[in-house]
Amino acid sequence: MSTTTTYTVTGMTCGHCESSVRTEVSQVPGVTEVDVSAKTGTLTVTAENSINDAGVIAAVDEAGYTAARD
């Protein structure tokens, strides 16, 4: 059973920003799908089981942005 969670990401302005966030979050264990939009400032993460919020937020931070769970 997969779980989907949405986050608000601040600081993204372009496609390169989206790519950076997508790359980092995709590396979080268990994550199966990442949808990110600089236009809306949203990040939607789907994982195999429960989502590791701390891992996702740390990955966004590693990409150079700030995330908060909606």
Side-chain angles (χ1 to χ4, degrees):
M1 179 175 167
S2 63
T3 304
T4 301
T5 304
T6 303
Y7 301 83
T8 298
V9 179
T10 53
M12 294 188 300
T13 58
C14 63
H16 181 265
C17 300
E18 293 173 349
S19 179
S20 296
V21 170
R22 186 178 299 107
T23 298
E24 292 296 333
V25 174
S26 292
Q27 295 175 24
V28 175
V31 169
T32 56
E33 188 176 334
V34 178
D35 183 37
V36 60
S37 171
K39 185 176 180 180
T40 61
T42 58
L43 165 66
T44 304
V45 179
T46 303
E48 294 168 349
N49 295 302
S50 62
I51 292 178
N52 177 351
D53 279 330
V56 171
I57 290 169
V60 173
D61 185 62
E62 182 70 26
Y65 308 96
T66 305
R69 185 173 177 161
D70 287 350

